[in-house]
Amino acid sequence: MTHQYELMVILSPELDERLVAPNLDKFLKVITNDGGTIDNVDIWGRRRLAYEIQKKTEGIYAVVAFTATSAATQELDRQLKLSETVMRTKVLRAEEAIALIESEKKRADEKAARKAARPAKPVAKQDA
């Protein structure tokens, strides 16, 4: 049974940005060879990391949407983790990704509502 997945991958900044797509294609063959489809490859490019990974402060981000079996997805994740050019990976089923985004938005909306509901701090009057 196939599902829709989203893969976020952070590649080493030493990798030439022109080689990112061919490098990803090499891994994505696992999906296509198993009968899955690659729906979208979105290369975000070089970004600053929130924290150091492997003593690096930057990474090349890419997001891939694909449809595949869970076995092919596990094999893709395994191969990505073995690669030295891949610093981090995260594979989510599309339904989980959507639910995660919605819960994060709800949390942010609730926080904004609490902040708006707080009484304004009185402004101190200055002597004239």
Side-chain angles (χ1 to χ4, degrees):
M1 185 170 166
T2 61
H3 295 286
Q4 286 197 301
Y5 292 93
E6 188 172 277
L7 163 71
M8 158 100 33
V9 63
I10 304 173
L11 300 166
S12 172
E14 279 103 41
L15 187 66
D16 187 338
E17 288 197 44
R18 291 173 295 191
L19 299 176
V20 172
N23 210 312
L24 280 176
D25 287 344
K26 182 176 65 179
F27 293 111
L28 297 176
K29 282 194 187 329
V30 172
I31 301 300
T32 54
N33 290 345
D34 192 55
T37 59
I38 308 302
D39 304 325
N40 186 28
V41 177
D42 189 10
I43 299 171
W44 294 2
R46 195 175 300 272
R47 300 277 172 102
R48 185 158 194 76
L49 300 172
Y51 54 89
E52 262 187 32
I53 300 173
Q54 300 169 1
K55 298 184 181 174
K56 294 178 178 73
T57 57
E58 287 187 331
I60 301 170
Y61 282 71
V63 178
V64 181
F66 63 94
T67 305
T69 63
S70 63
T73 304
Q74 287 171 350
E75 178 60 19
L76 170 67
D77 199 36
R78 187 188 75 78
Q79 287 188 18
L80 285 167
K81 287 181 176 158
L82 292 174
S83 172
E84 290 183 16
T85 59
V86 177
M87 294 167 44
R88 282 283 192 279
T89 64
K90 180 76 172 180
V91 179
L92 283 175
R93 284 220 347 230
E95 304 92 55
E96 292 173 10
I98 292 166
L100 192 65
I101 291 167
E102 287 174 355
S103 70
E104 195 59 34
K105 183 182 180 329
K106 182 181 174 192
R107 194 179 68 77
D109 290 346
E110 287 171 353
K111 183 177 178 182
R114 282 194 306 272
K115 191 173 182 180
R118 263 191 239 138
K121 292 182 181 176
V123 179
K125 292 183 182 178
Q126 293 186 356
D127 295 327

